[in-house]
Amino acid sequence: MANAFAFAELRGGAFRKVAFETVTAARMAADASGGGEVHAMVFGAPGTAAVAEQLGRFGADLVTVVEHPGLGRYAPEVFSATIAAALRGGSYRAALFPASAEGKDLAPRVAAALDLGLASDVTAFELNGDAVIARHPAYIGKAIATLRLTGQPALLSLRPGAIPAREAPRTARTTTAAPAVDPAAARVVVTGLAPRGAAKLDLGEAPVVVSGGRGLKAAENFKLIEELASAFGNAAVGATRAVTDDGWRDPSDQIGQTGRVVSPSLYVAVGISGAVQHLAGMRTSRVIVAINRDKDAPIFKLADYGIVGDLFEVVPRLTEEIRRVRREG
Amino acid sequence: MKIAVCIKRVPDTEMRFAIAADGKSVDPAGLKFDISDFDGYAIEVALRLNEQQGPGEVVAVALGPDALQETLRKALSIGVDRGIHLKCDAVPFDGLSIAHALAAELRDAGYNLILFGRMATDTGNGTVGAMTATLLGLPLVTAISHLEIKDGRGTAHRELEGATETSTFPLPAVLTIDEGIARPRLPSLKGIMAAKKKPIDIRPAALGPVRLTVEALELPPERTGGRIVGEGPDAVPELVRLLQTEAKVL
Ligand SMILES: Cc1cc2nc3c(=O)[nH]c(=O)nc-3n(C[C@H](O)[C@H](O)[C@H](O)COP(=O)(O)OP(=O)(O)OC[C@H]3O[C@@H](n4cnc5c(N)ncnc54)[C@H](O)[C@@H]3O)c2cc1C
Ligand SMILES: Nc1ncnc2c1ncn2[C@@H]1O[C@H](COP(=O)(O)O)[C@@H](O)[C@H]1O
C-alpha cells in the first residue's frame, strides 16, 4: 500500500479544473497500489484553506495548504522546493502534476531537484510492478509513445482533459504548512498576471470547442463561430494558425503544435483543412465534428462525423438545431 | 553577453514518417532532419540580444551522434559563433539524462544566458531546459513569449491559459523559448561560407542515468466509425441526432 501525491493548481483563489483531474489521477494511483492515501498540496495567499476541502470530493484524504502572503501568485522556486521537501519526506508511489502552463514549469524542477524521472504530458497511465507505463503524444501528435518510467515516486504530468475528474467523495483532512523556502528570497518573481480578453470560458477547460479556419474567409465571419459556440452554452472558440497569423483572432486562440492543446468532449472544426500541426492540438478530443466543403480535406480522416458543404449554409443551420435541442432539453 | 543555445536535431515535422521495424522509434529512411522549431526561435533571440546590446558570443550546444554536426553547421551559418558537440551514440528519451550532460558542459562556463526551446518536436517532453536550470541552480523562466534584458536583470512574459504572466529575474539565468518571440532568420550565402571556418568542439556526453524509456511507438489510432453524415445543411438534423444518441455529447 502506498500513497500518491497531487499538486492542485489554483488560480485567483479558485481551483482550476485540472486540479480535480490531478487529484482523480492520484486517486487512481493510490487505489492501484493497494488503497493508499491521496495527499494533495495547494499554494496560496492566506485564506486558501477555505477552498481546500473541495478536493475531498475527488478522493483526496489529506490536503496540505501552504499559505503565505507571498504565494497569491505562482512562485516557481517556492512551490518546487516545498513539493520536493514533501516528496522527500513521504514514501509516495507517484506524484501527479497537470501538464498546464504552471504544471509544465513546475514538474521538471521537482524532478531534477529530487533526481527522479518524469513522464510529461501523459494521456493515460498504469502502475506495473516497480514501473509506471504511460502514454504520451510524441512527434507533435504524429505518434503515441508508450513510456516506461522507473523510480519512486514516479513523477507524471497529465494532459489537461485526458483523465476527466471523477468524484470519489471522502472527507479530506486539512493541514497548513509553511513554505520550505522564504518567498521573499526567490530570484524569479512573478510580478503580474494579466487576463487576456473578457472572462470567457478557457479553451482548455471548455467541454466543447468550436474552431474556425481560413474557410471563414474574413475576421467578421467569426461571428458564425461565436454564435454556434454560444448555442452550445459551454463552448470556447478556437482557431487555426492561418487565422491567428492573419490577425482574425487573438494568438491565444490558436490550437495546435504551436498553440494550445485541447481535449474537449466535443471539437467542432469549421473550414479547417486538418494540417498535422493543427491536429496536434486537438487530436485527443473525444468526439470530433468537421464541416468542410472539400470532401477530401484531411480533417475528415480524423473526424467522427463530417458534413461536406458550405459552412456559410451549414453553420447557421447547426446553430439553430443546437439551440432547439437545448431549449427542448 | 555570452549566450548558450541548446539545440536538438529532430526529424523535419513536415515530412510524413513511419515507425521503424523495432516498433519503438521512427524509421529514419528518407527523413530530413533540422533544428527543432522552438530551438530556432531560441537562436534568433540570442542573436538579436547581442545585436542590440553590443558584442558577445553565441554558442550552440547539441547532444547526439555525429550526424548532428550538420545541424550545428546550420546554426553557425545563421550567425552562431561556435558549436559544441556532446557526442553519444543515441539520444535518450529521458530529459533528465540529457540535462545532466548539458549541465556538466554549461556549469561555470561563464554564460550570462542559457536558452532552450520550450519543447523538442520529437519527444514532446518540454523538460530538458527546466531540468538543466535546476541542476545548475540558476533562475529559470519557461515558455517565454517576450523578453527584455537591462542592467543584469530580465523581464519575461509567459502565456498561461487565458492570461499572460510577467516575471523578473537576475542574470545569469536559463530561459526556454516559445514561438512567436522572434521570427528566425534564414542562413545567408555569406553566413554559409563563414560557417565553414567556425569551430565545433567535440566532447563525450556525460549522460545521467536513464529512467524513462520508450517501450513502443505507434501511429495514433485511426479513428474508427468516422463518417460523412451528409452534404449541406440538410445533413444537420442527422448530425445533431448522432451527437445526442450515439456520441452522447449534447
Ligand atoms: C512550424 C509550424 C507550426 C504550425 N503550428 C500550427 C498550429 O499550432 N496550429 C495550426 O492550426 N496551424 C499551425 N501551422 C499551420 C498549418 O500548417 C496550416 O497551415 C494551418 O493549420 C491551416 O489552417 P486552416 O485549416 O485554417 O487553413 P487551410 O489549410 O487554408 O484550410 C481552409 C479549409 O477551409 C475549407 N473551406 C474554404 N471555404 C469553405 C466554405 N465556404 N465552407 C466550408 N469549408 C470551406 C477548405 O476546403 C479548406 O480545407 C503550423 C505550421 C508550421 C510550419
Ligand atoms: N539532445 C539535445 N541536444 C541539445 N539540446 C537539447 C537536446 N535535447 C533537448 N534539448 C533542448 O531542450 C529543449 C527541450 O527538449 P525536450 O525536453 O526533449 O522537449 C529543446 O528544445 C532543446 O533546446
Side-chain angles (χ1 to χ4, degrees):
Chain A
M1 196 173 89
N3 297 339
F5 179 93
F7 165 69
E9 184 176 339
L10 210 62
R11 172 109 47 99
F15 284 115
R16 298 193 62 234
K17 188 172 157 210
V18 290
F20 304 135
E21 296 174 6
T22 312
V23 171
T24 294
R27 185 72 262 158
M28 289 161 55
D31 289 347
S33 45
E37 293 202 329
V38 170
H39 295 179
M41 186 170 269
V42 193
F43 295 81
T48 300
V51 296
E53 63 185 305
Q54 290 175 26
L55 297 178
R57 227 172 82 213
F58 301 92
D61 298 285
L62 173 69
V63 183
T64 302
V65 184
V66 184
E67 281 186 350
H68 187 281
L71 297 180
R73 294 199 183 108
Y74 181 46
E77 294 169 9
V78 182
F79 285 30
S80 57
T82 308
I83 292 172
L87 294 180
R88 240 182 241 119
S91 52
Y92 293 104
R93 176 67 187 86
L96 288 305
F97 298 82
S100 58
E102 189 167 305
K104 282 193 285 193
D105 184 89
L106 186 55
R109 294 177 190 259
V110 173
L114 296 174
D115 200 22
L116 287 171
L118 164 66
S120 65
D121 205 14
V122 166
T123 55
F125 70 93
E126 61 183 40
L127 307 188
N128 183 310
D130 285 345
V132 171
I133 305 297
R135 305 272 283 171
H136 161 86
Y139 296 93
I140 55 161
K142 280 186 176 175
I144 306 289
T146 303
L147 303 177
R148 183 185 174 81
L149 173 64
T150 56
Q152 300 214 8
L155 267 44
L156 295 107
S157 72
L158 308 166
R159 174 172 285 212
I163 299 176
R166 205 169 47 224
E167 301 210 5
R170 59 199 66 212
T171 311
R173 313 189 299 280
T174 303
T175 157
T176 53
V181 296
D182 179 6
R187 300 163 300 178
V188 175
V189 179
V190 173
T191 55
L193 186 66
R196 274 190 313 264
K200 51 183 185 188
L201 205 51
D202 180 66
L203 273 174
E205 305 212 341
V208 178
V209 172
V210 184
S211 284
R214 193 163 14 218
L216 267 299
K217 306 270 189 305
E220 57 271 23
N221 295 333
F222 257 82
K223 74 171 189 301
L224 291 177
I225 302 295
E226 300 273 4
E227 280 164 10
L228 178 54
S230 83
F232 280 108
N234 55 355
V237 173
T240 62
R241 174 150 158 195
V243 162
T244 55
D245 274 358
D246 281 352
W248 299 356
R249 298 292 297 185
D250 191 77
S252 61
D253 291 346
Q254 182 179 319
I255 293 184
Q257 177 194 340
T258 44
R260 295 289 301 279
V261 175
V262 299
S263 277
S265 302
L266 175 62
Y267 189 90
V268 185
V270 179
I272 291 176
S273 59
V276 60
Q277 294 91 353
H278 185 77
L279 304 187
M282 43 66 76
R283 163 183 312 273
T284 52
S285 306
R286 192 160 79 72
V287 175
I288 298 172
V289 169
I291 298 166
N292 195 303
R293 69 174 174 199
D294 173 9
K295 68 172 185 359
D296 297 321
I299 190 75
F300 284 129
K301 291 210 186 67
L302 192 72
D304 300 282
Y305 306 107
I307 291 185
V308 178
D310 184 352
L311 71 89
F312 294 98
E313 295 172 10
V314 176
V315 172
R317 182 72 188 275
L318 181 57
T319 304
E320 205 177 288
E321 279 294 302
I322 298 292
R323 276 202 196 113
R324 187 186 58 76
V325 166
R326 292 200 57 230
R327 211 170 37 231
E328 293 167 9
Chain B
M1 287 193 293
K2 184 172 170 184
I3 306 176
V5 186
C6 294
I7 63 171
K8 190 171 194 190
R9 177 180 187 266
V10 298
D12 187 332
T13 57
E14 291 296 306
M15 305 290 289
R16 67 162 64 233
F17 68 87
I19 308 294
D22 68 0
K24 45 174 91 174
S25 61
V26 164
D27 184 355
L31 278 190
K32 281 198 307 177
F33 286 80
D34 204 345
I35 299 171
S36 182
D37 286 344
F38 297 103
D39 306 357
Y41 292 100
I43 292 175
E44 183 63 31
V45 168
L47 295 176
R48 285 193 194 181
L49 276 173
N50 277 351
E51 282 162 6
Q52 288 156 7
Q53 311 215 337
E57 188 185 28
V58 178
V59 182
V61 183
L63 176 150
D66 283 335
L68 64 68
Q69 293 251 343
E70 172 202 11
T71 313
L72 280 169
R73 277 294 157 212
K74 176 163 178 199
L76 299 178
S77 71
I78 297 171
V80 168
D81 296 298
R82 62 186 173 92
I84 296 174
H85 174 185
L86 300 178
K87 194 168 153 159
C88 57
D89 295 333
V91 182
F93 189 86
D94 188 336
L96 193 49
S97 175
I98 298 172
H100 274 290
L102 294 175
E105 173 61 36
L106 297 165
R107 187 171 283 122
D108 301 327
Y111 293 103
N112 305 99
L113 275 179
I114 301 174
L115 306 184
F116 289 82
R118 164 166 79 80
M119 159 185 110
T121 52
D122 55 353
T123 64
N125 281 338
T127 62
V128 169
M131 288 171 165
T132 307
T134 304
L135 295 176
L136 292 171
L138 288 175
L140 160 75
V141 187
T142 60
I144 66 167
S145 57
H146 173 85
L147 174 66
E148 273 164 52
I149 304 280
K150 218 174 134 200
D151 305 329
R153 287 193 65 81
T155 303
H157 293 176
R158 322 179 335 104
E159 302 306 320
L160 312 186
E161 303 83 1
T164 303
E165 189 178 83
T166 305
S167 27
T168 60
F169 56 91
L171 266 49
V174 176
L175 304 170
T176 82
I177 308 294
D178 203 348
E179 76 136 17
I181 186 164
R183 215 169 257 286
R185 66 195 70 183
L186 297 170
S188 64
L189 193 57
K190 197 164 141 243
I192 294 169
M193 299 309 291
K196 298 198 168 122
K197 295 192 217 74
K198 292 178 179 173
I200 296 179
D201 289 333
I202 305 175
R203 291 194 260 282
L207 290 166
V210 172
R211 305 184 187 89
L212 180 69
T213 52
V214 178
E215 294 268 282
L217 197 65
E218 298 153 62
L219 298 178
E222 288 280 330
R223 283 181 167 255
T224 49
R227 66 189 119 141
I228 304 283
V229 176
E231 290 189 15
D234 293 345
V236 166
E238 174 64 1
L239 170 66
V240 172
R241 192 188 66 78
L242 289 167
L243 291 177
Q244 273 184 301
T245 57
E246 193 178 82
K248 299 191 167 45
V249 287
L250 289 183

XYZ file of all heavy atoms in Angstrom, chain B residues 176-247:
537
model
N 13.460 29.163 -21.419
C 13.011 28.331 -22.532
C 12.045 29.156 -23.373
O 11.236 29.915 -22.845
C 12.385 26.982 -22.096
O 11.025 27.177 -21.719
C 13.149 26.342 -20.942
N 12.190 29.020 -24.689
C 11.605 29.980 -25.623
C 10.403 29.375 -26.348
O 10.485 28.284 -26.915
C 12.677 30.398 -26.678
C 13.969 30.873 -25.985
C 12.125 31.441 -27.626
C 13.839 32.146 -25.183
N 9.314 30.137 -26.322
C 8.121 29.754 -27.056
C 8.198 30.397 -28.434
O 8.965 31.326 -28.654
C 6.884 30.278 -26.307
C 5.633 29.502 -26.653
O 5.663 28.710 -27.620
O 4.622 29.689 -25.958
N 7.401 29.923 -29.363
C 7.440 30.557 -30.683
C 6.795 31.931 -30.603
O 6.161 32.283 -29.624
C 6.721 29.708 -31.725
C 5.228 29.787 -31.620
C 4.553 29.936 -32.975
O 5.173 29.662 -34.007
O 3.387 30.322 -32.985
N 6.990 32.709 -31.619
C 6.310 33.987 -31.657
C 7.156 35.097 -31.071
O 6.894 36.261 -31.274
N 8.200 34.738 -30.335
C 9.011 35.761 -29.692
C 9.880 36.475 -30.718
O 10.118 37.668 -30.609
C 9.834 35.147 -28.539
C 10.580 36.219 -27.751
C 10.796 34.083 -29.011
C 11.077 35.731 -26.405
N 10.326 35.775 -31.750
C 11.177 36.372 -32.774
C 11.215 35.437 -33.976
O 11.525 34.260 -33.820
C 12.601 36.563 -32.240
N 10.862 35.918 -35.122
C 10.839 35.061 -36.303
C 12.270 34.748 -36.738
O 13.060 35.657 -36.970
C 10.086 35.759 -37.429
C 9.291 34.833 -38.288
C 8.364 35.615 -39.203
N 6.981 35.603 -38.738
C 6.172 34.542 -38.829
N 6.609 33.407 -39.349
N 4.938 34.599 -38.400
N 12.632 33.467 -36.820
C 14.021 33.126 -37.143
C 14.425 33.589 -38.538
O 13.631 33.544 -39.461
C 14.041 31.590 -37.084
C 12.804 31.182 -36.396
C 11.804 32.276 -36.580
N 15.669 34.051 -38.637
C 16.207 34.438 -39.949
C 16.698 33.186 -40.670
O 16.902 32.131 -40.054
C 17.338 35.436 -39.771
C 18.569 34.861 -39.077
C 19.527 35.920 -38.598
N 18.983 36.675 -37.464
C 19.597 37.699 -36.879
N 20.786 38.088 -37.297
N 19.052 38.315 -35.866
N 16.930 33.315 -41.960
C 17.437 32.183 -42.741
C 18.936 32.346 -42.915
O 19.458 33.456 -42.834
C 16.745 32.155 -44.102
C 15.231 31.936 -44.028
C 14.589 32.165 -45.387
C 14.935 30.535 -43.513
N 19.648 31.253 -43.177
C 21.083 31.384 -43.440
C 21.304 32.172 -44.732
O 20.574 31.987 -45.696
C 21.568 29.941 -43.593
C 20.395 29.051 -43.438
C 19.169 29.880 -43.241
N 22.278 33.074 -44.717
C 22.630 33.790 -45.951
C 23.799 33.056 -46.597
O 24.468 32.236 -45.965
C 23.044 35.214 -45.611
O 24.233 35.174 -44.825
N 24.049 33.367 -47.861
C 25.172 32.733 -48.561
C 26.475 33.053 -47.830
O 27.322 32.196 -47.608
C 25.217 33.255 -50.006
C 26.128 32.439 -50.920
C 25.704 30.975 -50.928
C 26.093 33.009 -52.334
N 26.594 34.331 -47.431
C 27.786 34.759 -46.705
C 27.901 33.977 -45.395
O 28.986 33.514 -45.016
C 27.654 36.260 -46.406
C 28.941 36.934 -46.024
C 28.796 38.463 -46.136
C 29.519 39.129 -44.984
N 28.651 39.878 -44.091
N 26.771 33.799 -44.749
C 26.760 33.048 -43.494
C 27.191 31.605 -43.702
O 27.931 31.037 -42.888
N 26.751 31.017 -44.797
C 27.102 29.622 -45.078
C 28.605 29.490 -45.307
O 29.241 28.559 -44.812
C 26.289 29.102 -46.289
C 24.796 29.056 -45.908
C 26.781 27.729 -46.729
C 23.856 28.807 -47.066
N 29.186 30.466 -46.022
C 30.641 30.444 -46.256
C 31.376 30.624 -44.927
O 32.313 29.889 -44.624
C 31.055 31.566 -47.222
C 30.420 31.480 -48.612
S 30.607 29.850 -49.367
C 32.374 29.859 -49.662
N 30.930 31.592 -44.138
C 31.604 31.884 -42.871
C 31.532 30.684 -41.923
O 32.465 30.422 -41.159
C 30.970 33.110 -42.215
N 30.421 29.949 -41.990
C 30.214 28.836 -41.067
C 31.285 27.768 -41.219
O 31.635 27.072 -40.267
C 28.833 28.224 -41.305
N 31.809 27.661 -42.440
C 32.803 26.601 -42.692
C 34.045 26.800 -41.842
O 34.755 25.859 -41.543
C 33.183 26.584 -44.179
C 31.969 26.256 -45.053
C 32.359 25.803 -46.438
C 31.155 25.221 -47.148
N 30.842 25.881 -48.398
N 34.315 28.052 -41.466
C 35.551 28.322 -40.705
C 35.309 28.396 -39.203
O 36.233 28.553 -38.425
C 36.177 29.635 -41.195
C 36.654 29.568 -42.637
C 37.514 30.789 -42.957
C 37.310 31.320 -44.362
N 36.041 32.052 -44.598
N 34.046 28.334 -38.808
C 33.781 28.447 -37.376
C 34.032 27.111 -36.674
O 33.770 26.053 -37.248
C 32.332 28.904 -37.156
C 32.072 30.348 -37.606
C 30.621 30.716 -37.397
C 30.350 32.160 -37.813
N 28.907 32.469 -37.757
N 34.521 27.173 -35.422
C 34.906 25.924 -34.741
C 33.722 25.154 -34.134
O 32.744 25.761 -33.692
C 35.826 26.422 -33.620
C 35.386 27.824 -33.352
C 34.849 28.371 -34.644
N 33.837 23.840 -34.159
C 32.920 22.970 -33.415
C 33.784 22.075 -32.515
O 34.582 21.291 -33.012
C 32.055 22.098 -34.346
C 31.140 22.964 -35.213
C 31.220 21.105 -33.516
C 30.268 22.179 -36.188
N 33.642 22.236 -31.221
C 34.377 21.378 -30.284
C 33.576 20.104 -30.048
O 32.353 20.159 -29.917
C 34.545 22.082 -28.931
C 35.522 23.236 -29.025
O 36.404 23.170 -29.907
O 35.389 24.195 -28.236
N 34.275 19.003 -29.970
C 33.594 17.726 -29.736
C 34.064 17.147 -28.397
O 35.262 17.069 -28.140
C 33.909 16.720 -30.863
C 33.560 17.338 -32.215
C 33.134 15.423 -30.649
C 33.936 16.484 -33.399
N 33.082 16.784 -27.568
C 33.410 16.178 -26.275
C 32.432 15.041 -26.014
O 31.295 15.093 -26.488
C 33.252 17.216 -25.158
C 34.299 18.303 -25.204
C 34.304 19.091 -23.909
N 33.580 20.358 -23.999
C 34.072 21.451 -24.569
N 35.248 21.444 -25.144
N 33.370 22.569 -24.576
N 32.845 14.058 -25.231
C 31.887 12.990 -24.905
C 30.767 13.539 -24.019
O 31.003 14.402 -23.175
C 32.731 11.954 -24.154
C 33.976 12.652 -23.740
C 34.175 13.838 -24.636
N 29.556 13.033 -24.224
C 28.414 13.485 -23.423
C 28.375 12.699 -22.118
O 28.387 11.476 -22.130
C 27.118 13.271 -24.200
N 28.319 13.441 -20.995
C 28.259 12.784 -19.674
C 26.802 12.588 -19.283
O 26.282 13.248 -18.381
C 28.996 13.638 -18.646
N 26.112 11.694 -19.997
C 24.679 11.469 -19.763
C 24.424 10.962 -18.354
O 25.238 10.228 -17.794
C 24.147 10.443 -20.766
C 24.051 10.907 -22.229
C 23.842 9.720 -23.153
C 22.926 11.927 -22.392
N 23.291 11.349 -17.794
C 22.886 10.831 -16.494
C 22.147 9.515 -16.657
O 21.894 9.061 -17.784
N 21.773 8.889 -15.532
C 21.038 7.626 -15.590
C 19.714 7.788 -16.348
O 19.118 8.861 -16.338
C 20.774 7.288 -14.122
C 21.114 8.495 -13.333
C 22.009 9.351 -14.162
N 19.292 6.713 -16.995
C 18.060 6.748 -17.786
C 16.956 5.999 -17.046
O 17.101 4.816 -16.726
C 18.295 6.120 -19.179
C 16.967 5.976 -19.927
C 19.269 6.971 -19.981
N 15.864 6.692 -16.746
C 14.749 6.066 -16.031
C 13.452 6.112 -16.824
O 12.440 5.589 -16.408
C 14.520 6.781 -14.703
C 15.763 6.851 -13.840
C 15.410 7.485 -12.513
N 16.598 7.730 -11.711
C 17.305 8.853 -11.764
N 16.957 9.818 -12.582
N 18.363 9.008 -11.001
N 13.511 6.802 -17.958
C 12.315 6.947 -18.789
C 12.678 6.462 -20.186
O 13.556 7.026 -20.831
C 11.896 8.422 -18.825
C 10.667 8.768 -19.656
C 9.404 8.190 -19.011
C 10.534 10.276 -19.818
N 12.024 5.390 -20.619
C 12.360 4.817 -21.924
C 11.096 4.632 -22.762
O 9.990 4.562 -22.227
C 13.046 3.443 -21.759
O 12.221 2.635 -20.925
C 14.434 3.565 -21.154
N 11.292 4.540 -24.057
C 10.168 4.304 -24.965
C 10.023 2.793 -25.147
O 10.927 2.119 -25.607
C 10.411 4.987 -26.331
C 9.250 4.692 -27.274
C 10.604 6.482 -26.143
N 8.876 2.264 -24.737
C 8.590 0.843 -24.913
C 8.042 0.572 -26.304
O 8.274 -0.466 -26.884
C 7.500 0.420 -23.916
C 7.905 0.476 -22.491
C 8.459 -0.856 -22.052
O 7.662 -1.765 -21.799
O 9.700 -0.974 -21.998
N 7.233 1.504 -26.773
C 6.584 1.314 -28.069
C 6.218 2.668 -28.641
O 5.970 3.622 -27.897
C 5.330 0.464 -27.909
N 6.232 2.734 -29.942
C 5.802 3.942 -30.636
C 4.804 3.502 -31.696
O 5.077 2.576 -32.461
C 7.024 4.619 -31.280
C 6.870 6.066 -31.713
C 6.646 6.983 -30.517
C 8.114 6.517 -32.480
N 3.639 4.139 -31.679
C 2.607 3.747 -32.643
C 2.068 4.984 -33.322
O 2.083 6.069 -32.764
C 1.408 3.091 -31.930
C 1.700 1.829 -31.187
C 0.698 1.675 -30.040
O -0.505 1.584 -30.332
O 1.137 1.672 -28.877
N 1.520 4.766 -34.489
C 0.767 5.850 -35.099
C -0.498 6.002 -34.269
O -0.987 5.024 -33.708
C 0.440 5.512 -36.550
C 1.683 5.325 -37.426
C 1.276 4.934 -38.839
C 2.521 6.597 -37.457
N -1.030 7.208 -34.163
C -2.241 7.377 -33.366
C -3.345 6.479 -33.923
O -3.398 6.271 -35.137
C -2.607 8.847 -33.541
C -1.522 9.467 -34.322
C -0.592 8.433 -34.803
N -4.182 5.948 -33.055
C -5.216 5.043 -33.543
C -6.053 5.750 -34.606
O -6.430 6.903 -34.434
C -6.056 4.760 -32.290
C -5.664 5.797 -31.291
C -4.287 6.235 -31.630
N -6.273 5.051 -35.692
C -7.201 5.577 -36.690
C -8.531 5.693 -35.980
O -8.957 4.760 -35.295
C -7.329 4.593 -37.859
C -6.114 4.534 -38.761
C -6.089 5.691 -39.764
O -7.175 6.151 -40.139
O -4.985 6.121 -40.137
N -9.171 6.808 -36.137
C -10.488 6.916 -35.518
C -11.433 6.048 -36.329
O -11.599 6.242 -37.509
C -10.937 8.361 -35.509
C -10.235 9.134 -34.417
C -10.713 10.541 -34.405
N -10.264 11.167 -33.174
C -11.062 11.429 -32.142
N -12.340 11.112 -32.184
N -10.588 11.988 -31.067
N -12.048 5.092 -35.669
C -12.929 4.194 -36.395
C -14.336 4.755 -36.349
O -14.693 5.526 -35.463
C -12.902 2.792 -35.776
O -13.079 2.946 -34.384
C -11.587 2.101 -36.044
N -15.140 4.338 -37.309
C -16.527 4.774 -37.310
C -16.693 6.202 -37.777
O -17.784 6.734 -37.766
N -15.567 6.846 -38.145
C -15.678 8.196 -38.662
C -16.437 8.156 -39.982
O -16.246 7.270 -40.786
N -17.336 9.067 -40.158
C -18.105 9.017 -41.403
C -18.628 10.392 -41.780
O -18.782 11.277 -40.934
C -19.274 8.051 -41.253
C -20.279 8.554 -40.228
C -21.285 7.493 -39.934
N -21.210 7.167 -38.524
C -22.290 6.904 -37.787
N -23.466 6.850 -38.333
N -22.167 6.641 -36.507
N -18.894 10.523 -43.046
C -19.562 11.716 -43.556
C -21.056 11.505 -43.344
O -21.639 10.545 -43.832
C -19.268 11.901 -45.060
C -17.745 11.948 -45.321
C -19.989 13.127 -45.593
C -17.060 13.228 -44.971
N -21.646 12.370 -42.559
C -23.068 12.239 -42.247
C -23.912 12.628 -43.462
O -24.973 12.040 -43.705
C -23.423 13.138 -41.043
C -24.907 13.103 -40.747
C -22.616 12.707 -39.831
N -23.451 13.600 -44.207
C -24.208 14.003 -45.378
C -23.643 15.272 -45.971
O -22.575 15.733 -45.551
N -24.363 15.815 -46.933
C -23.896 17.022 -47.607
C -24.837 18.193 -47.339
O -26.057 18.023 -47.337
C -23.802 16.779 -49.112
C -22.666 15.819 -49.442
C -22.392 15.727 -50.938
O -22.874 16.608 -51.686
O -21.701 14.780 -51.323
N -24.249 19.338 -47.114
C -25.035 20.568 -46.998
C -25.863 20.646 -45.728
O -25.825 19.750 -44.879
N -26.625 21.726 -45.594
C -27.384 21.981 -44.358
C -28.420 20.897 -44.051
O -28.778 20.703 -42.879
C -28.050 23.335 -44.616
C -27.853 23.660 -46.041
C -26.729 22.841 -46.566
N -28.867 20.178 -45.064
C -29.878 19.153 -44.801
C -29.335 18.010 -43.946
O -30.115 17.230 -43.381
C -30.417 18.589 -46.121
C -31.215 19.639 -46.887
O -31.576 20.665 -46.251
O -31.435 19.455 -48.099
N -28.012 17.912 -43.851
C -27.415 16.837 -43.045
C -27.380 17.202 -41.560
O -27.079 16.362 -40.713
C -26.001 16.533 -43.543
N -27.705 18.452 -41.250
C -27.556 18.922 -39.874
C -28.433 18.154 -38.870
O -27.925 17.715 -37.821
C -27.775 20.453 -39.777
C -27.971 20.892 -38.338
C -26.595 21.187 -40.405
N -29.738 17.945 -39.144
C -30.552 17.228 -38.150
C -29.999 15.831 -37.828
O -29.984 15.424 -36.664
C -31.929 17.143 -38.822
C -31.956 18.307 -39.766
C -30.548 18.448 -40.259
N -29.519 15.141 -38.852
C -28.955 13.808 -38.609
C -27.680 13.916 -37.747
O -27.478 13.121 -36.828
C -28.653 13.137 -39.960
C -27.928 11.796 -39.875
C -28.723 10.686 -39.181
O -29.883 10.940 -38.762
O -28.172 9.582 -39.026
N -26.856 14.919 -38.022
C -25.644 15.124 -37.207
C -26.027 15.340 -35.746
O -25.457 14.720 -34.840
C -24.851 16.333 -37.729
C -23.690 16.793 -36.828
C -22.589 15.738 -36.771
C -23.114 18.127 -37.293
N -27.001 16.193 -35.523
C -27.383 16.514 -34.148
C -27.969 15.272 -33.464
O -27.693 15.006 -32.291
C -28.368 17.703 -34.131
C -28.936 17.924 -32.733
C -27.652 18.964 -34.617
N -28.723 14.483 -34.238
C -29.271 13.252 -33.664
C -28.128 12.317 -33.219
O -28.143 11.760 -32.120
C -30.161 12.544 -34.689
C -31.009 11.423 -34.105
C -31.726 10.608 -35.182
N -30.801 9.864 -36.035
C -30.202 8.718 -35.676
N -30.438 8.188 -34.493
N -29.365 8.104 -36.491
N -27.111 12.185 -34.071
C -25.981 11.315 -33.740
C -25.219 11.835 -32.528
O -24.787 11.056 -31.673
C -25.043 11.193 -34.944
C -25.597 10.367 -36.111
C -24.747 10.567 -37.366
C -25.647 8.885 -35.738
N -25.068 13.163 -32.451
C -24.340 13.727 -31.309
C -25.114 13.458 -30.015
O -24.514 13.254 -28.961
C -24.126 15.237 -31.501
C -23.154 15.641 -32.601
C -23.093 17.165 -32.731
C -21.751 15.083 -32.346
N -26.440 13.421 -30.128
C -27.261 13.176 -28.934
C -27.295 11.708 -28.555
O -27.058 11.344 -27.414
C -28.705 13.621 -29.190
C -28.973 15.063 -28.887
C -30.447 15.380 -29.069
O -30.993 15.199 -30.157
N -31.093 15.818 -28.005
N -27.602 10.863 -29.533
C -27.918 9.472 -29.196
C -26.708 8.563 -29.263
O -26.576 7.639 -28.476
C -28.980 8.922 -30.160
O -28.494 9.059 -31.497
C -30.282 9.680 -30.020
N -25.788 8.823 -30.197
C -24.656 7.922 -30.369
C -23.441 8.419 -29.587
O -22.875 7.709 -28.760
C -24.330 7.802 -31.856
C -23.394 6.661 -32.191
C -23.151 6.574 -33.691
O -22.290 7.332 -34.189
O -23.825 5.771 -34.356
N -23.054 9.672 -29.849
C -21.857 10.207 -29.188
C -22.176 10.696 -27.780
O -21.288 10.780 -26.935
C -21.280 11.337 -30.025
